[in-house]
Amino acid sequence: MIHYHGGPITPDKAALMAWRGRHAFVSWAHPEQIELISSVTQSFALDNGAFSAWKSSRMINWEDYYSWSERWLSHPSCDWAIIPDVIDGTEQENDSLVEEWPHGFSGVPVWHMNESVERLERLSERWPRVAIGSTQEFDVSKPSACVARLSEVLPSITLSNGFLKTKLHGLRMLSPYITSRIPLSSGDSTNIARNIKIDKKWTSYGPFTKETRALVLAERIESVVTPHKLLLGSEE
């Protein structure tokens, strides 16, 4: 599994500790560190910024995102870009955005966990990677609900050998509770960016500098073994 660490991570010394030789997730809503990211990471992927826009009730000019992503998708270390989506929008709205995407299979469509299994099946038949997105009902702040929903729908895109028809990316899904149970190919989170700044989350014997905190969190996040098949019930 590829762990994409989201930003911005400050200061830059901490960002270097977190990203050098690892993988980064760059949001169109916060692109200010992309030059640094593109020079030190193994690879990086592009996020459309829809979650930040949804939280702030802000509109996004998708034409600008198309131009920005086109520029960076040509970078040798850029893996792919999230196709625009509407969180809590209709399936028709999101299907329209997928059809409008101008950069082919360099894009990854988003299936939201409150959408139909039929839409997940359609996307899995067509696209080599599908991103799983949160909704109000299934937010990653409640990982057990996310795992329950995914355990319900993923059998519909599971092959006879137990593998999935498409690779899955978990948006904001680097919680060990999720990554230890769901066969994700990749995932992202801003765990490092958020938690290296909060002193009360670190004991008196914990790392003092943000650079060391970034390293500790990266190693902890990446230490979880992700299953190659969906784990149901007591199956190991």
Side-chain angles (χ1 to χ4, degrees), residues 214-228:
L215 180 60
V216 169
L217 286 172
E219 289 185 344
R220 180 174 180 181
I221 291 168
E222 295 177 4
S223 67
V224 177
V225 177
T226 302
H228 60 278

Side-chain angles (χ1 to χ4, degrees), residues 192-227:
I192 294 175
R194 289 181 289 107
N195 287 303
I196 63 171
K197 305 173 184 178
I198 305 175
D199 291 341
K200 66 182 180 181
K201 289 199 172 185
W202 301 86
T203 69
S204 57
Y205 292 102
F208 178 75
T209 67
K210 292 181 175 63
E211 300 92 89
T212 307
R213 291 176 181 180
L215 180 60
V216 169
L217 286 172
E219 289 185 344
R220 180 174 180 181
I221 291 168
E222 295 177 4
S223 67
V224 177
V225 177
T226 302

Side-chain angles (χ1 to χ4, degrees), residues 2 4 21-25 37 40-45 76-79:
I2 297 177
Y4 291 97
R22 291 190 173 88
H23 307 272
F25 204 54
I37 286 167
V40 302
T41 58
Q42 286 193 43
S43 74
F44 62 96
S77 296
C78 187
D79 292 331

